Amino acid sequence: MNDTLTAIEGIRVGHWTDAAAGTGCTVVVLPEPNCVTAEFRGAAPGSREAALLQPGMSVEQAQAVVFTGGSAFGLAAADGVMGALEADGRGHPTLMGPVPIVPAAVVYDLHTGDPTVRPGPAEGEAAYRAATADPVEMGRVGAGTGTRVAGWRGFEASRAGGLGSALVAGDGFSVGAVAVVNSVGDVFTLEGGPLTGGAPVPGPPAARGEPLEQTTLVLVATDARLPRHRLRRLTVRGHDAIAVCVRPAHTSHDGDAVFAVSCGSIEADADMVAEAAWEATGRAIETAIRSSVE
C-alpha cells in the first residue's frame, strides 16, 4: 500500500544522496495539467522561480519541484532537472521550444558533512532520472540527508532531521505531502506528542557560538481540481501544520516554505482539501523524524 505523496496519480519522486558528505536533493516530477503555488514564511528562504508561483502570474504550471541541500549553492541542481526535462520534450511552450518550469527551495546542511560538496546539475538530473511512483523513500535521503533539528536548545540537544511523506484521503479526493525537516525548533506530532525531547512551549534560545541556519520545506499535492487562488489555502494550512509541529517555527533563522500542487480533475470543497493538507503536512513531518536514524 502506498500512503505517501506518490499515491497521487502521475507524481513521481526521486532522490540523489551523498551520505558521506551529508547532503542530497529530491525531485518531485509533476503530471500535467497542473497548477502550482507557494508561500514562504521563514525569514531566510533560498528559492528559485518563487515569484512565478504567486497569484496573478501568467504561467501556472510546473514540470517538477526541487528540494535540495547545499544552501543557495544547491539551487544549481534545478539546472540539471531543466536540462533533463527539455531532453524529454517537457516545458512551458514557447516559439523556440519548451522551457521547463522548475521551482526549487533549499535547506542549509553545510554544517553536517563536507561543506564543499553540494548538489549541482548532474546531481539534480540523477534525482530526476531516479524518480519513481513507488512509495517515497524516507529518512536521511535526498534533501533530508544532512538535516538537523532542535538546535534551538543548543548544539548538544540537536538531532537528525530527515525527509518524510504522508497521504490523507478525503471525501473522494486525496492529499499527499512530502516534508524536509531541518528545523531550528523541536518537533512534535499534530497531537502534541514530543518527537525530539523539547518542551511544548519553547524557552529562549540557548547561547551558542555558531549561527542557527534551518528550514522546513513542504510540498502538498492533491488530485482535486483547484484554481490558484483556492490552492493558496493549502499553503496556509500547511504552514499552520508546521507551526503546530515545529516549535518555534518561522523564525529569523528559518526559510520555511510550503508548495501546493493541484494535478487532478476531482471536484472538491477547497476548505476540506486544505484541512487534509494540514493533516498530511503534520504526518509527513512526523514520519521524517521517526524514519531518521543518526
Side-chain angles (χ1 to χ4, degrees):
M1 178 179 177
N2 186 353
D3 57 359
T4 69
L5 177 70
T6 50
I8 303 295
E9 186 175 357
I11 289 182
R12 296 180 291 121
V13 174
H15 303 302
W16 172 83
T17 301
D18 188 333
T23 194
C25 59
T26 297
V27 176
V28 181
V29 184
L30 303 175
E32 296 179 73
N34 65 61
C35 180
V36 184
T37 190
E39 184 174 350
F40 297 79
R41 292 194 182 176
S47 63
R48 171 172 173 156
E49 298 281 27
L52 190 66
L53 304 182
Q54 304 313 305
M57 300 302 169
S58 60
V59 177
E60 294 196 333
Q61 289 197 134
Q63 283 69 53
V65 175
V66 174
F67 288 165
T68 179
S71 190
F73 298 108
L75 290 172
D79 290 339
V81 180
M82 283 191 70
L85 283 163
E86 182 185 27
D88 289 346
R90 296 193 62 195
H92 178 72
T94 76
L95 290 175
M96 301 308 294
V99 176
I101 305 299
V102 184
V106 305
V107 297
Y108 186 95
D109 59 3
L110 302 181
H111 49 2
T112 58
D114 184 346
T116 67
V117 177
R118 306 126 182 186
E123 291 73 25
E125 180 176 359
Y128 171 80
R129 295 299 181 194
T132 173
D134 292 341
V136 177
E137 183 183 0
M138 295 182 280
R140 295 184 69 72
V141 296
T145 302
T147 53
R148 305 288 301 177
V149 298
W152 187 257
R153 292 183 287 118
F155 182 78
E156 67 285 350
S158 71
R159 55 148 293 171
L163 181 147
S165 188
L167 182 77
V168 172
D171 184 12
F173 66 87
S174 297
V175 178
V178 63
V180 179
V181 186
N182 191 48
S183 60
V184 67
D186 276 288
V187 185
F188 296 78
T189 67
L190 285 173
E191 293 77 17
L195 295 172
T196 58
V201 179
R208 52 182 286 173
E210 63 272 18
L212 298 163
E213 290 116 349
Q214 313 290 148
T215 288
T216 298
L217 302 176
V218 173
L219 182 144
V220 294
T222 181
D223 52 13
R225 183 172 61 188
L226 296 174
R228 181 169 276 181
H229 72 282
R230 296 292 186 194
L231 192 60
R232 298 284 294 180
R233 304 312 305 169
L234 277 64
T235 66
V236 170
R237 291 301 278 150
H239 274 295
D240 289 347
I242 291 176
V244 168
C245 294
V246 178
R247 308 181 193 180
H250 304 143
T251 73
S252 60
H253 311 286
D254 290 295
D256 298 338
V258 176
F259 294 72
V261 183
S262 169
C263 54
S265 59
I266 296 171
E267 297 295 334
D269 180 85
D271 287 322
M272 296 300 294
V273 180
E275 292 312 297
W278 179 83
E279 182 179 355
T281 298
R283 302 300 179 210
I285 291 171
E286 178 180 350
T287 60
I289 301 304
R290 292 196 186 280
S291 60
S292 296
V293 179
E294 295 277 12

